Amino acid sequence: MSSFRPTPPKSSTVLGANEVEKSSLTLLSGEPTVVTAGVDLFADALTAQAAAVTPVAWQPPVGAEDALARVMADRRRLSANRTALERMLAAGASLVDVRPASEVVGLTAGQFRHAGPPITWERASGPMRGALIGATLFEGLATTAEDATNLLSGGSVEWAPCHSDGGVGPMAGVVSPSMWVFVLRDEAHDRTSWCSLNEGLGKVLRYGAYGPEVIDRLRWMSSVLGPALRAAVREHGPVDVKGIIAQMVQMGDEGHNRNRAGTLMLLRDLMPAMIDAGVASSDVADVARFVGGNDHFFLNLVMPACKLQTAAASGIPGSTVVTTMARNGTDFGIQVSGTGDTWFTGPANTPQGLFLGSYGPDDANPDIGDSAITETAGIGGFAMASAPAIVRFVGGTVPDALRTSREMYGITTGENPAYALPILDFRGAATGIDVTKVVRSGVLPQINTGMAGRVAGVGQVGAGLVTPPMECFTAALDALGEAAPPVA
Amino acid sequence: MSSFRPTPPKSSTVLGANEVEKSSLTLLSGEPTVVTAGVDLFADALTAQAAAVTPVAWQPPVGAEDALARVMADRRRLSANRTALERMLAAGASLVDVRPASEVVGLTAGQFRHAGPPITWERASGPMRGALIGATLFEGLATTAEDATNLLSGGSVEWAPCHSDGGVGPMAGVVSPSMWVFVLRDEAHDRTSWCSLNEGLGKVLRYGAYGPEVIDRLRWMSSVLGPALRAAVREHGPVDVKGIIAQMVQMGDEGHNRNRAGTLMLLRDLMPAMIDAGVASSDVADVARFVGGNDHFFLNLVMPACKLQTAAASGIPGSTVVTTMARNGTDFGIQVSGTGDTWFTGPANTPQGLFLGSYGPDDANPDIGDSAITETAGIGGFAMASAPAIVRFVGGTVPDALRTSREMYGITTGENPAYALPILDFRGAATGIDVTKVVRSGVLPQINTGMAGRVAGVGQVGAGLVTPPMECFTAALDALGEAAPPVA
C-alpha cells in the first residue's frame, strides 16, 4: 500500500458507505473534470488555459515514510485495532467510592502526582510549579511559597504522572496524599481509575493558584466534601458514570469544557443518598451549593471514565490506537496501545480561544492537563457537534463545531454508539485515534481546553481550542515501525 | 396589499437580511430560470418541453379572503403586533411561591379548573372525565367513581378553564381547591400566573387516571411536596424561571416534551434552600427523589412562564398575534391579542407519534392540555431544533426537527433572543404566531405533545406531534376582520 494518497479537503463531509456507492454510480455520467491535488502550480497552469479545475488540499504524509510503510504492512494492525476498539466500547465506568489519595494511590508524605508526561522542576511551567507549591503548603511540608519552592527545586519532594498510576488530573493535575479522589471501576476489564475532586472556578490549585483561599478550600474539600461524597456513594451504590456521559452528550455537554448537565445529574443521584446516609444537614446544603455552583464539577468524573475506556485498549501488540493524550504545561505526550506505557512527546501548543476579564493571549500558558483523555476517548473536542453552546466558551462557530466532529471520523478507527450525537442523527462519537491516520492525513485531534495563566499563582485565564504537536504522532509511528515485524 | 402571494417551499431556509441582499445582487447575473408556483400543471407542461423548472409549493390562503384583506389593511396591525412582540420579549417569569389553589385561584369546594376552552360534561373526552372524577374523589366530594360521575353529570360541580384565571394545566389540567400550585410573577407587567404541581409519570390524574394510587399521590403532594417546595421557595427567594428556560433550550430541552435539564436546574436551586428552611431530612430526600425521578417536573413551571409571556401581549386592539393555544381533549381553542378573551375553536386533532408499551393509535385521545402555551410562546415544537433528542420520544427525525423550527419563523412576528437556539447559530426562537401568516401560508403551528388514553382511567399512552385545526385561525381572522375599521 502506497503512503501517497491525497488528503480529503479538511472541510469535506466524510461520506457514509451509501453515499460512496451513489457517487461511484454517477462517476461516469457527467462532463470530465480536472482535479488537482496539492501544490497550486498545477491548478494555476490549467486555470490560465481556461480549464475548469477543482483543487484538492493535499500534503505528503508527515514523518518517516519508512515507518509508515512498515506499520501499514504489519499484519497484526487491523485485528489489533479492532480489538482495541471492541475493548474501548465494552469498558464500563461506575463511581464506586471517594477516598484520600493516600489510600487509593498509596501516596505518602512528600509524594505527589501531576498531569501529563514526566517533568522536572527546571522545565516545569508556571501553573505546574504553582500547583506543586500549593500542594506542598497544603500538606504542611512548608509554610511559605519560598520554602515550598526550595523543597521542590531541592529534590525533597517527588512527583510522577497521574497516568503512571492509572489516574488523571485536570490542568496541573497535582494530587497529594491528603487530597480526596473519586474511585471509578470498569468491571468489564477489572480495572480502577481515579481523579481528584473538582475545586470550582477562579483561583484554584489546578490552574496554578496557591493563595490562602486555595489552601482553605482544599482543607474543606478533605474534611467535608470528600467524606460527604463518600457517604453518599456508599449509600447509593455504584453510580453509572458512563450512563450519565451518554445522557450529557444529548444535553449540550461535550464532557471536557462543558459538564453542566453531567454535574446536575450527579447532584440529582447523590443528594438523596447523602441525606439518607445521615450527613449533617448543613454539610449537605454546603455540598449541594458547592457542586451545584460549579458546572465543571462532573469533569473530574468524565476524565477517569474516559481513562478506563482508553486503558482497556492499551498494550495490544500492533495496535496503532492512541490510549493517552496528556500535557504538563511544557510537553504534550501521547501513549499508544502497541507501545504500552512509552510516552511520545513534543512541545505543547498554546490554545487559542476566549479570555476571562482583561487576560489576553500573552497571559496563557501552553496546553496543560490530563483532560485531553476526553478527546482520546471520543468526546470533548470530538463531540462538539453535540454541544454547540460550547462555542461561546471556547470561541469558534457552530458550523466549526459540526465540521470538527465530522472531521474526527477521518482519524479514528470507529464510533461509540454509547455516546450518540443527536445532531449528527445519533451517529456514535468518533473513537480510537489512529496514529497512522493522523500522520497520513495531517489532521490532528481537536482538543477543547481550559487555559491556565503562564505565571504561577494566577489561575485560569481563559478557554479555547488546541491540537497536539504532530511530532508526538510521528515519534509514535517510528516506535511502532521499530516494533513491527520486518516486511517480507 | 394582495392576499395572493406564493408560499415559500416548506423545506426552504428562511433568509436573513444579508442573504436577501446578496441574492438580489446576483439575481441578474445567472441564466434565466422558470419558477412555477402551485399546481403541477404549469411545471409539467414546461418539463415536457425540456425546460428547467423550479416548482414552488403554493396554495391559496385558507378562509375568507374578505376578512384577510380587511385585517391586512388595518393600519393598527403592524404597530399593534410590534407592541405585542415587545411585551412578550420584556415579560419576566419568576417562581415566587407555592400554595393551595384555594388560596391562589380562590377555588371553593365543588369548583374546579381544567385545560383548554370551556367544555360540558356531555362533550368531555375520556381523560377529561377521568381527571374530573379523580378530583372529585380527591376532594372527598364522592367516594366512588360512580358517585363522582353522578355529581359531575348532575351539575353539582362547576368547572372553568385554567386560562380564565390566568393559569394553565397540563393535559386534562384539572385543578381542585386542595391541590397546590406554583405561583409565578412577571414583574415587568405586574402579572401573576399559576400551574399545578407535576404528578410524575404513568397513571396520573392529568392523563385521566383516578385509581387509589393516583389519589394517594395527590394527598402526598398536598401534605408534603407542596409545603416543602413552599418552604424552599420562600427561603431561596424568587427563582428565575425565564433564566432556566434560556439555559434548558441550550441543553437539549424544548420545554414541552423534554424538560430534563430544567428539572435538574430547579432541583439544584431549591435543594439547599429546602434544607436551610428546616424541612425534615426524610422529606427533603423524598422530594429530591420524586422531582429527580421525573424529567417532566419542570414543565409545570415552563407553562406558567410561557403564559406570563403571551398574556403580556393580550388585548392590544388590531394585533393578530395568538396569545393562547389550548385543548380540552375535544376542542382546540385559541385566543388572539386583538380579540381579547374570546375563544376560537375547532375539533382537536389526534397526535401522531410513539406509543408506550402495547398502546397504539386507536388508544390515543385527541389533543388535550394547556401545554401548547409553550408553542404559543415560541418554544416546545417551535424549538425542536435545539432538542434533537426529542425525536426519539415523539417520532420524526433530526432533519425534521431542524426544518420545523425554521419553518415556524414564517408564521411568527419575531424572534426571542432570550431563547436562543444554538444549532441555528443562536437565532432566537420564532415568537408571536400571527393569525394572518398562518392563514396566508397554510402552515400550522407545530405542537409537541403527550398523548392521553381515550378511555377515562387509562393514563398516558404516548407522545407525538400535532397541529391545531385551521378553522381556529380562520374563525379568529373573521373576528379580527369584524373588529377592524372599514377599509377606506
Side-chain angles (χ1 to χ4, degrees):
Chain A
M1 188 179 286
S2 160
S3 63
F4 288 90
R5 207 182 63 164
T7 311
K10 292 199 177 184
S11 63
S12 76
T13 303
V14 175
L15 296 177
N18 285 342
E19 294 169 285
V20 169
E21 198 173 308
K22 233 187 292 169
S23 64
S24 59
L25 283 175
T26 57
L27 196 63
L28 301 175
S29 63
E31 287 289 305
T33 58
V34 179
V35 177
T36 63
V39 283
D40 296 337
L41 191 64
F42 308 127
D44 292 348
L46 284 160
T47 305
Q49 297 169 56
V53 178
T54 304
V56 172
W58 181 83
Q59 57 186 53
V62 289
E65 284 162 30
D66 287 353
L68 184 58
R70 196 166 163 137
V71 172
M72 297 299 283
D74 184 348
R75 293 188 179 197
R76 302 171 305 174
R77 185 174 55 87
L78 288 179
S79 100
N81 283 349
R82 202 157 43 232
T83 302
L85 183 68
E86 281 166 10
R87 290 193 190 162
M88 281 196 280
L89 301 190
S94 290
L95 170 63
V96 294
D97 210 350
V98 188
R99 294 165 66 199
S102 56
E103 298 175 16
V104 176
V105 195
L107 296 182
T108 57
Q111 287 187 322
F112 297 161
R113 292 294 173 266
H114 67 86
I119 186 81
T120 61
W121 177 258
E122 289 66 32
R123 295 188 66 245
S125 64
M128 181 60 78
R129 287 185 174 196
L132 290 169
I133 290 169
T136 306
L137 296 172
F138 172 61
E139 291 292 339
L141 303 174
T143 51
T144 68
E146 197 185 348
D147 287 351
T149 303
N150 288 335
L151 275 180
L152 290 158
S153 60
S156 336
V157 177
E158 57 176 276
W159 56 86
C162 295
H163 276 292
S164 63
D165 286 299
V168 275
M171 304 307 290
V174 170
V175 177
S176 65
S178 309
M179 292 180 193
W180 286 54
V181 297
F182 291 117
V183 182
L184 271 74
R185 285 282 299 162
D186 166 20
E187 293 299 338
H189 302 100
D190 191 21
R191 193 182 299 266
T192 300
S193 186
W194 51 268
C195 183
S196 53
L197 311 185
N198 192 292
E199 305 164 84
L201 301 174
K203 296 209 171 191
V204 287
L205 189 82
R206 73 179 184 283
Y207 279 97
Y210 55 78
E213 76 275 28
V214 175
I215 308 303
D216 285 351
R217 191 187 303 111
L218 290 174
R219 292 211 177 99
W220 176 81
M221 289 170 67
S222 288
S223 61
V224 177
L225 180 65
L229 290 170
R230 174 176 61 188
V233 171
R234 290 182 179 182
E235 174 76 24
H236 179 281
V239 177
D240 181 2
V241 174
K242 184 179 182 180
I244 295 180
I245 298 173
Q247 289 300 321
M248 73 195 278
V249 297
Q250 309 226 345
M251 295 174 73
D253 284 354
E254 37 68 85
H256 189 165
N257 255 320
R258 196 172 157 103
N259 293 280
R260 173 173 290 183
T263 300
L264 291 168
M265 286 186 273
L266 180 72
L267 205 54
R268 173 196 64 191
D269 289 352
L270 290 187
M271 279 301 105
M274 195 174 292
I275 293 166
D276 287 350
V279 174
S281 284
S282 61
D283 286 345
V284 175
D286 285 348
V287 168
R289 275 195 195 91
F290 182 79
V291 175
N294 170 17
D295 288 339
H296 298 273
F297 192 81
F298 195 69
L299 170 62
N300 295 39
L301 283 155
V302 177
M303 288 173 55
C306 289
K307 174 68 182 170
L308 287 172
Q309 180 188 315
T310 62
S314 69
I316 304 169
S319 170
T320 58
V321 165
V322 176
T323 54
T324 306
M325 297 196 292
R327 323 82 108 195
N328 55 35
T330 305
D331 303 319
F332 195 114
I334 71 169
Q335 295 175 320
V336 177
S337 175
T339 50
D341 293 338
T342 309
W343 287 101
F344 305 102
T345 61
N349 294 324
T350 300
Q352 305 208 315
L354 303 179
F355 293 88
L356 301 174
S358 60
Y359 292 117
D362 292 343
D363 300 309
N365 196 75
D367 200 17
I368 185 168
D370 288 337
S371 55
I373 195 70
T374 60
E375 281 83 7
T376 321
I379 54 174
F382 284 43
M384 284 170 70
S386 226
I390 195 72
V391 302
R392 296 224 157 156
F393 189 62
V394 297
T397 66
V398 173
D400 286 344
L402 290 166
R403 190 170 54 243
T404 299
S405 284
R406 289 203 180 99
E407 195 174 47
M408 294 301 106
Y409 292 105
I411 59 168
T412 46
T413 56
E415 302 176 11
N416 188 346
Y419 301 156
L421 309 184
I423 202 64
L424 298 186
D425 233 346
F426 300 96
R427 187 171 183 185
T431 299
I433 300 165
D434 184 338
V435 168
T436 64
K437 292 186 178 184
V438 171
V439 172
R440 290 175 71 189
S441 69
V443 173
L444 288 160
Q446 180 64 66
I447 297 168
N448 249 6
T449 193
M451 282 191 267
R454 188 180 280 280
V455 177
V458 165
Q460 182 170 13
V461 298
L465 300 170
V466 71
T467 54
M470 181 57 87
E471 59 204 90
C472 297
F473 299 89
T474 51
L477 190 69
D478 284 339
L480 287 163
E482 280 172 31
V487 181
Chain B
M1 189 181 284
S2 160
S3 63
F4 288 90
R5 207 181 64 166
T7 311
K10 290 200 179 182
S11 62
S12 77
T13 303
V14 175
L15 295 178
N18 286 342
E19 294 168 286
V20 169
E21 198 172 308
K22 232 186 297 169
S23 65
S24 57
L25 284 175
T26 57
L27 195 64
L28 302 175
S29 62
E31 288 288 306
T33 57
V34 179
V35 177
T36 64
V39 283
D40 296 337
L41 190 65
F42 307 128
D44 292 349
L46 285 160
T47 305
Q49 298 169 55
V53 178
T54 304
V56 173
W58 181 84
Q59 57 186 53
V62 290
E65 284 162 31
D66 287 351
L68 184 58
R70 196 166 163 135
V71 172
M72 297 299 283
D74 184 347
R75 294 188 177 197
R76 302 171 305 175
R77 185 175 55 88
L78 288 179
S79 100
N81 282 350
R82 203 158 42 231
T83 301
L85 183 67
E86 282 166 8
R87 290 194 190 160
M88 281 196 279
L89 301 190
S94 291
L95 171 62
V96 294
D97 210 350
V98 188
R99 294 165 66 198
S102 57
E103 298 174 17
V104 176
V105 194
L107 297 181
T108 56
Q111 289 187 321
F112 297 162
R113 292 294 172 267
H114 67 86
I119 185 83
T120 60
W121 177 259
E122 289 66 33
R123 294 188 66 244
S125 64
M128 180 61 77
R129 287 185 174 195
L132 289 169
I133 291 168
T136 305
L137 296 171
F138 171 62
E139 292 291 338
L141 303 174
T143 51
T144 66
E146 197 185 348
D147 287 349
T149 303
N150 288 335
L151 275 181
L152 290 158
S153 61
S156 337
V157 177
E158 56 176 278
W159 55 88
C162 295
H163 276 292
S164 62
D165 286 298
V168 275
M171 304 308 291
V174 171
V175 177
S176 64
S178 308
M179 293 181 191
W180 286 53
V181 297
F182 292 118
V183 182
L184 272 74
R185 284 283 299 162
D186 165 20
E187 292 300 339
H189 301 100
D190 190 21
R191 193 184 298 266
T192 301
S193 185
W194 51 269
C195 184
S196 53
L197 311 185
N198 192 292
E199 306 163 83
L201 301 174
K203 295 209 171 191
V204 286
L205 189 82
R206 71 181 184 282
Y207 279 97
Y210 55 78
E213 77 276 28
V214 175
I215 307 303
D216 285 350
R217 190 186 305 110
L218 289 174
R219 291 208 178 99
W220 175 81
M221 290 171 67
S222 288
S223 60
V224 177
L225 179 65
L229 290 170
R230 176 176 61 187
V233 171
R234 291 182 179 182
E235 174 77 24
H236 179 281
V239 177
D240 182 2
V241 174
K242 184 180 181 179
I244 295 179
I245 297 173
Q247 291 300 320
M248 72 194 279
V249 296
Q250 310 228 343
M251 296 175 72
D253 283 354
E254 36 69 85
H256 189 164
N257 256 319
R258 195 169 158 104
N259 293 280
R260 173 174 290 184
T263 299
L264 291 167
M265 287 185 272
L266 179 74
L267 206 52
R268 173 196 64 190
D269 290 351
L270 290 187
M271 278 302 105
M274 196 175 291
I275 293 166
D276 288 349
V279 174
S281 286
S282 61
D283 286 345
V284 175
D286 285 349
V287 169
R289 274 196 195 90
F290 182 78
V291 175
N294 170 16
D295 288 339
H296 297 273
F297 192 80
F298 194 68
L299 170 62
N300 295 39
L301 283 155
V302 177
M303 287 172 57
C306 289
K307 174 66 181 171
L308 287 172
Q309 180 188 316
T310 60
S314 69
I316 303 170
S319 170
T320 58
V321 165
V322 175
T323 54
T324 307
M325 296 195 292
R327 321 82 106 195
N328 56 35
T330 305
D331 302 319
F332 195 112
I334 71 170
Q335 293 174 322
V336 177
S337 174
T339 50
D341 294 339
T342 309
W343 287 101
F344 305 101
T345 61
N349 294 323
T350 300
Q352 304 209 316
L354 303 178
F355 292 87
L356 301 175
S358 59
Y359 292 117
D362 292 343
D363 300 309
N365 195 75
D367 200 16
I368 183 167
D370 288 337
S371 56
I373 196 69
T374 61
E375 281 83 7
T376 321
I379 53 174
F382 284 43
M384 284 171 71
S386 225
I390 196 72
V391 302
R392 296 223 157 157
F393 189 63
V394 297
T397 67
V398 173
D400 286 344
L402 290 166
R403 190 170 52 244
T404 298
S405 284
R406 288 204 180 99
E407 196 174 47
M408 294 301 107
Y409 292 105
I411 59 167
T412 47
T413 57
E415 302 176 11
N416 189 345
Y419 300 158
L421 310 183
I423 201 63
L424 298 186
D425 233 347
F426 299 97
R427 188 172 184 186
T431 300
I433 299 165
D434 184 338
V435 168
T436 65
K437 293 186 177 183
V438 171
V439 172
R440 290 176 71 188
S441 69
V443 173
L444 288 160
Q446 180 65 66
I447 297 168
N448 250 6
T449 194
M451 282 190 267
R454 189 180 280 279
V455 177
V458 164
Q460 183 171 12
V461 298
L465 300 171
V466 71
T467 55
M470 180 57 86
E471 60 204 87
C472 296
F473 298 90
T474 51
L477 190 70
D478 284 338
L480 287 163
E482 280 172 32
V487 180

